[in-house]
Amino acid sequence: GESVGLHLPTLSVQEGDNSIINCAYSNSASDYFIWYKQESGKGPQFIIDIRSNMDKRQGQRVTVLLNKTVKHLSLQIAATQPGDSAVYFCAESYSGNTPLVFGKGTRLSVIA
Amino acid sequence: EAGVAQSPRYKIIEKRQSVAFWCNPISGHATLYWYQQILGQGPKLLIQFQNNGVVDDSQLPKDRFSAERLKGVDSTLKIQPAKLEDSAVYLCASSLGTSTGEQFFGPGTRLTVL
């Protein structure tokens, strides 16, 4: 399939371990954040979102943490599986009514 | 539920030629987006439609790019004439509402300009 990106920051984790993917966002006024997963040859897929009135939100096997003080977002994936191998993007928006601005992405590689 | 459909999946053209991409969003989705994703980068919004009206086209290079969404359903994105730097994946996405939220992306069209 098509590679979604070369020369991206890469995180390699052992299957079954937890993964933490970090993102520094740019606009201090942003108040809505989304994590997307993009597999090779596919479009981005929504994983989880969080609004700025929260600092943590949990989904199935995923947790997003938001630190507004340092403009930092992280995605934690529990018990990482081979199917989690992909490029992960964070995206930010202001008031949910401005266009999403995507970060550069991190490639997650799961070692079986 | 069928996802966002895009065609073609791949296109190779020479610079100065024209090209068009087609998108069929998820049924009932009012908002449609076109993004450009250059290799190694995140998607960048080109244009956003709500029904058949343009909400945001501030990042669309209007001297060569155009897009339309007639009848508020399907959309086409055109590049004329293409430049080498237009080589990228062009992603179409749709969402149910108008405020930024969960957007459903199509598989994209990979354009190579030689």
Side-chain angles (χ1 to χ4, degrees):
Chain A
E2 293 285 334
S3 170
V4 301
L6 301 175
H7 311 299
L8 289 170
T10 299
L11 174 66
S12 296
V13 300
Q14 205 71 32
E15 181 180 359
D17 287 352
N18 297 335
S19 303
I20 300 176
I21 301 171
N22 297 304
C23 173
Y25 63 92
S26 56
N27 187 354
S28 56
S30 293
D31 57 5
Y32 179 63
F33 306 89
I34 304 178
W35 278 101
Y36 280 91
K37 172 186 180 184
Q38 188 172 25
E39 296 175 275
S40 189
K42 297 183 179 180
Q45 177 186 3
F46 176 94
I47 302 173
I48 191 168
D49 61 0
I50 189 169
R51 297 199 178 272
S52 61
N53 60 351
M54 303 172 70
D55 53 22
K56 180 179 180 179
R57 190 167 187 221
Q58 288 185 287
Q60 187 178 12
R61 277 202 311 120
V62 295
T63 300
V64 55
L65 299 177
L66 174 63
N67 185 329
K68 296 181 289 293
T69 303
V70 293
K71 294 191 290 184
H72 184 268
L73 197 65
S74 68
L75 177 70
Q76 300 178 359
I77 304 174
T80 312
Q81 303 168 1
D84 296 327
S85 293
V87 177
Y88 289 80
F89 293 98
C90 66
E92 60 184 293
S93 171
Y94 172 64
S95 292
N97 285 314
T98 59
L100 284 175
V101 176
F102 283 78
K104 286 187 168 50
T106 297
R107 181 184 304 281
L108 176 64
S109 179
V110 181
I111 305 164
Chain B
E1 174 183 84
V4 176
Q6 290 188 248
S7 68
R9 289 297 314 276
Y10 305 93
K11 189 74 176 178
I12 300 174
I13 61 172
E14 295 190 348
K15 59 183 179 184
R16 291 187 288 274
Q17 286 187 320
S18 61
V19 64
F21 313 126
W22 173 82
C23 172
N24 180 237
I26 293 173
S27 177
H29 280 196
T31 307
L32 184 147
Y33 313 80
W34 282 103
Y35 289 86
Q36 179 192 60
Q37 185 175 24
I38 293 173
L39 195 64
Q41 298 180 18
K44 184 186 82 171
L45 181 70
L46 292 175
I47 188 167
Q48 176 182 343
F49 291 95
Q50 181 184 340
N51 297 311
N52 60 349
V54 176
V55 173
D56 187 333
D57 64 355
S58 57
Q59 297 190 88
L60 186 74
K62 298 180 186 64
D63 58 333
R64 298 185 300 105
F65 286 64
S66 65
E68 60 182 11
R69 190 183 184 198
L70 299 176
K71 301 180 183 178
V73 182
D74 293 3
S75 177
T76 56
L77 176 70
K78 297 180 181 178
I79 308 175
Q80 181 179 11
K83 293 185 175 181
L84 296 177
E85 58 261 36
D86 298 332
S87 294
V89 174
Y90 290 85
L91 294 162
C92 178
S94 69
S95 64
L96 190 60
T98 55
S99 62
T100 303
E102 186 171 355
Q103 297 178 21
F104 295 83
F105 283 81
T109 296
R110 178 148 193 93
L111 174 67
T112 301
V113 182
L114 303 175

